[in-house]
Structure formats: structure tokens, C-alpha cells
Amino acid sequence: MLLLLLGIIVLHVTVLVLLFVSTIVSQWLVNGGHTADLWQNCTSGSVFHCLTSSTNGECSLAIRAAAPTSLLFS
């Protein structure tokens, strides 16, 4: 029973660390001179441009709201 409890605690700590990392990391997709994440898309070249990510769908807005909220409740 103690081993099961220890496994559950390790799982929860791992999930919490991954949650912090995925929310805090500023770049999820890096491709040459282009970086993209949940909040903005940036292109580097002769001039560095950052545009806010598209808000085409409700899914994107839900993820933007849930990421910081999940950190608060964790």
C-alpha cells in the first residue's frame, strides 16, 4: 500500500513539473528563423517580428485560459 501511495505521489509531482514547464516555456515550435507558441508567432530575419497567435477557434482561447488557471489550482 505504501508503494502505491509513493507511485501516486511521484506521478503527481511529475505532472506538476510538466505543467509548469509547458506553460512557462516561451517557444514550443522552433523552425529555423520561425518560433511559435500559444501566445505569439515570431519570425527572425533582417527584422524580428512578433505577431499574436491567431484566435481562430474557441479551442485556442480555452487553452489560453486553462494554462494559467491550471497553474493556480495546482
Side-chain angles (χ1 to χ4, degrees), residues 40-55:
Q40 62 185 356
N41 296 328
C42 296
T43 304
S44 63
S46 60
V47 178
F48 191 75
H49 292 286
C50 284
L51 302 171
T52 58
S53 292
S54 63
T55 56

Side-chain angles (χ1 to χ4, degrees), residues 28-72:
W28 290 355
L29 177 67
V30 178
N31 184 11
H34 181 75
T35 59
D37 64 358
L38 189 59
W39 310 105
Q40 62 185 356
N41 296 328
C42 296
T43 304
S44 63
S46 60
V47 178
F48 191 75
H49 292 286
C50 284
L51 302 171
T52 58
S53 292
S54 63
T55 56
N56 295 358
E58 293 175 0
C59 181
S60 176
L61 293 175
I63 292 171
R64 287 183 185 184
T69 306
S70 64
L71 286 176
L72 284 173

Side-chain angles (χ1 to χ4, degrees), residues 5-38:
L5 181 61
L6 183 63
I8 291 172
I9 290 172
V10 168
L11 180 67
H12 279 92
V13 169
T14 304
V15 166
L16 187 62
V17 167
L18 290 174
L19 179 64
F20 273 105
V21 169
S22 67
T23 304
I24 293 171
V25 169
S26 63
Q27 298 169 348
W28 290 355
L29 177 67
V30 178
N31 184 11
H34 181 75
T35 59
D37 64 358
L38 189 59

